[in-house]
Amino acid sequence: MDAGVRDLRAADHLLHTLAAELALPEGAFGCTHLVRGDRPRVVVSLALPSPLPRTAREWLTARGHEVADGLPDAVGRAVVYPGVASLTGTTTIAELLARSAIDRVTVLGAPGRPDPRTSLVTRDHVRPQWQDGALVLAAMPAVGGTLVPFEVPDPTPCCADH
């Protein structure tokens, strides 16, 4: 769906709104996709365990969203996905993998996979990305041997200090 959104925060909000308004079923995925070119923007996709009902498609188009079948790319950033609501506070890598649709965790600058007992401070903002058909969370080292998701919940806008 193309709603003319230009930033990730607005796209995240749109996906949460759509998930609530459409009462998306368990097993649904909502992702963001960056579109470059002459009109840079963020589009969103919904993948459901069953086809999007015609009434939902009509509801979306009535609200000005361009709806098309298929994905804009294969590397969407997941915002809505099975288990995301349980990823709050601090959890271990093993718990994260067991409670959500995330397939694996990688740590920037580290070879291999992290120890499953490693704590991850979620900051209540866990945005994995699709890579070769797997949902992968990029994490980075933090204080006390913990990890945090690479994407921060409230990023500083570019050039904020200029």
Side-chain angles (χ1 to χ4, degrees):
M1 291 169 286
D2 187 348
V5 176
R6 297 187 52 95
D7 66 78
L8 289 174
R9 187 178 300 187
D12 285 6
H13 179 72
L14 174 60
L15 280 169
H16 287 297
T17 300
L18 291 173
E21 293 288 329
L22 295 172
L24 295 181
E26 182 64 31
F29 288 84
C31 298
T32 61
H33 306 266
L34 301 178
V35 177
R36 292 165 174 60
D38 59 337
R39 193 172 64 99
R41 63 200 181 283
V42 182
V43 298
V44 298
S45 66
L46 294 174
L48 307 173
S50 57
L52 186 65
R54 182 176 173 193
T55 54
R57 182 180 294 272
E58 291 168 355
W59 184 90
L60 292 165
T61 55
R63 281 157 182 75
H65 303 298
E66 291 180 30
V67 179
D69 292 329
L71 291 173
D73 58 40
V75 293
R77 172 183 158 273
V79 176
V80 174
Y81 53 93
V84 67
S86 70
L87 302 179
T88 61
T90 301
T91 186
T92 66
I93 299 299
E95 291 168 338
L96 173 131
L97 296 173
R99 294 190 313 214
S100 74
I102 297 172
D103 295 304
R104 71 178 183 273
V105 176
T106 60
V107 180
L108 299 178
R113 296 185 183 181
D115 185 316
R117 298 170 294 181
T118 304
S119 292
L120 178 88
V121 181
T122 68
R123 301 179 294 204
D124 300 341
H125 189 83
V126 181
R127 302 292 189 263
Q129 211 167 352
W130 289 104
Q131 296 177 8
D132 298 322
L135 199 53
V136 180
L137 177 66
M140 57 187 180
V143 175
T146 64
L147 297 173
V148 293
F150 175 71
E151 183 178 325
V152 297
D154 297 311
T156 303
C158 178
C159 305
D161 62 342
H162 296 17

